Amino acid sequence: MKTNLKMLLGAFVLLLFVSCKNDASKQNNSAASTNVETKDEPRTGQAFVKDDESKPTVLHIAIGSPDHTTLVAAVQAAELENSLVNAGPLMVFAPTNEAFAALPEGTVETLLKPENKAKLAYILKHHVTPGNYSKDFLKKFKKLGQASNENIKVEVKDGEVYVGGAKILASIKAGNGIVHVVDKVILPKN
Amino acid sequence: MKNTLKIFAALFVGAMLFASCNNSESSTNGSALSSSAAEKVYVAPGEHDEFYAFISGGFSGQLAVYGLPSGRLFKVIPVFSVDAEKAYGFNEETKPMLNTSHGFIPWDDAHHPDISQTAGVVDGRYVYINGNNTPRIAKIDLTTFETTEIIEIPNSAGNHSSSYVTENTEYVVAGTRFGVPVPQRDISIKEYKGNFKGALSFLKVDPEDGGMEIDFQILMPGFDYDKAHPGRGDSHGWFFFTTYNTEESHTLLEVNASQNDKDFIAAVNWKMIAEYVKNGGGTKMPANYAHNVYDEETHMATSTMKKEVLVVDPTEVPGALYFLPTPKSPHGCDVDPSGEYIVGSGKLSADVTVHSFSKMIKAIEDKKFAGEAYGIPILDFEAINAGSVKQAGLGPLHTEFDGKGNAYTTFFISSEVVKWKLGTWEVIDRKPTYYSVGHLMIPGGNSGKPFGKYVLAMNKITKDRYLPTGPEVTQSAQLYDITGEKMELLLDFPTVGEPHYAAGIPADLIKPNSKKLYKLEDNKHPYAAKSDEDTKVVRDGNTVHVYMTMIRSHFSPDNIEGVKVGDKVYFHVTNLEQDYDVPHGVSMIGANTSELLIMPGQTETFVWEPKQVGVWPFYCTDFCSALHQEMQGYVRVSPKNSDIELSWGLGEDDEDDE
């Protein structure tokens, strides 16, 4: 019975996806027309491997979360999907939609524009650490070296862990690392 | 909490959602290659490839020989692991090859093949390759494509920054990954800092036969020495080693070895140290390591235990050692064909750092130091840095060069090869790899003269790239055409073991030297039977030696009687053929070993200890001839207390009265 429900749920999502897929490919096309490097090349790579047996990757966790649609849109716009399914290990600090919404008005829209792809990618890489540490274990660190090449501070206040000023709200183990949900976008210095 | 729940619920549907998305995506991936790619890698039946590629097998311990551009596999050369197919490590002749101070070790982790060089150009005489685990360096002779020498490296562990040759193959270099107590002793691991050492070993190469001897070991601080490459051109005489764990941590390195923003590239003036040693410098310390050499004339290896090694304290040779600060646990350490640029890839960085050799020399002259570590001067980063390739990808690992001013760097996390320009550091092109690339190889790409036609990317992960074979799937190599401004993916082929690194060379530099057979008149094996007259069976107590020959299509002798349960029977089998590509094999029922695969003119030996009375057959295991199936024989095994005398024969008549 439980399985049936799950299947129904899955079927429903599949339906949803058909429409979403169309939108996505339209987006891809428009991106390609302004970006020489990806022109005429279908998106390939590990992110597009069909695999329903493995534990979800950090990318799949973000995609599956209704609270991270902005983050996922940003990852897709920056074309970082393949890096996020890599063997890593990767520790992703995933700002919620609310966190993105708290940025000055228009920030997200501007970053999602194709001409800002490199800038967006840099900001996203600033949310990724090569490593895989639990929230508790993070308390051992003073700083973390991010994929952006910059460091972020790790602080503990009232037992809670803050990275680059953002509070860890929840943590989900992934097949290739861990996702820590955070309440703020961690802005790089550069 | 509510958030977490939501995420978990979403997780399941999310995964499904994504999987379905892939379906539609992958259907459009099929025709990524243009039809001209097929033409570029097509080598017609009977035609030869343009390049040899020697691709290490990583954890297989072996070295595989491929052709490029076809990607066809020709031979797997056993190096550090036993190989039942070729009897390597199973026959009596090659067992000593795998001897070490820890006894017979049947496996190792083969990493970095490097082809010998003359005047900075690959010369096709030998391939040297390192065994990581029980530190060893092997030499493969490229006339026979066989492993002919293995030397163990004392005071070393995780022999990783190895086995690179200098411009004229003066030295083969082996650097330790692990700091270890030198000499080894019973101390607490917590006493690591300052007490553990990192040995950089310089193996002098005999210009005549490529043979190796440890000339000296530099006892460095206990950092982890990761990768290395020699200087060339103006920087010939120097050697460069990347280091990580300059924190000298001994536990949880994934955290503790990533604390320093910069580790070092160690620049070693080996010419200066060689001179110092030649003039009596250094200290001889007791050691125990195996030196195993295969003699092509006796077809036999001997293992010698060496008892002493010369060590050098780097602080006693001022001016011979400097540290070049390099960001974020640098892994790859590559030197461009001119010898001017030293490329260090911080594996946790997004950038590739390039140092300048001429700036380094100037910084030394101007004493631009930023401090010292264990008495070794640290040069000022700004004074030596030539530039860096910024934000080129994620997880830079290794760089090779095309000889036309371009460099190619692999990025593990973003799974790509990035082409960039030396001097301007601008990115010219990037191409995905499928997936998670480690090393890459351009034939001659880390020498003074690259043959910049192809780059081969070696991938750790393939997931869906081939027909699936259960949880364990092959690793792969991918060939790109690099003759144009943009790289073009031509071919994607599966490999043996882990294709850790490779060395490539134009086929014409090797092909004419490849031997067709071993001359029977040169065979000096002590148990060889060079004709049917030499065949015999000799008893010495419980030991029986069979001097046997093989030729199309019989063994001589092929009937043996008088062997008893409890005997130890050595079959010394000589292949009398003197004809190209006519090997014979032999195997004996119940023999606790592999077959022998014996090349024309060669003698090999296997041991059989019969445990059961009876008449037991042996046969040829290589399909040698039209009468291959007739190539067989029998050994009669009698009880331990039997008094049947040894007798043997070939083609004798049956006894009439029985």
Side-chain angles (χ1 to χ4, degrees), chain B residues 236-263:
Chain B
H236 177 57
W238 289 79
F239 222 99
F240 303 96
F241 298 82
T242 42
T243 69
Y244 64 103
N245 193 24
T246 51
E247 296 85 349
E248 294 182 75
S249 169
H250 54 81
T251 183
L252 196 65
L253 262 65
E254 66 169 320
V255 177
N256 297 330
S258 307
Q259 295 304 301
N260 294 348
D261 276 341
K262 290 191 177 73
D263 294 280

Side-chain angles (χ1 to χ4, degrees), chain A residues 14 17 21 44-49 56 60 63-64 66-67 83 86 122 125 133 137 141 143 147-149 151, chain B residues 3 10-11 17-18 20-22 25 29 252 254-255 259 261 349-351 391 394 412-414 434-436 463:
Chain A
L14 261 173
F17 190 71
K21 164 72 185 138
T44 60
Q46 263 189 94
F48 306 96
V49 174
H60 295 104
I63 286 177
D67 287 332
S83 293
N86 188 271
Y122 189 85
K125 285 189 263 180
Y133 313 113
F137 198 83
F141 290 78
K143 60 173 186 181
S148 62
N149 239 15
N151 292 328
Chain B
N3 260 346
L11 198 145
L17 184 154
F18 202 76
S20 61
C21 163
N22 299 334
E25 284 277 356
N29 287 348
L252 196 65
E254 66 169 320
V255 177
Q259 295 304 301
D261 276 341
S349 168
D351 298 349
Q391 297 287 319
L394 287 172
F412 178 81
I413 292 178
S414 52
Y434 305 93
Y435 311 102
S436 298
K463 290 188 190 263

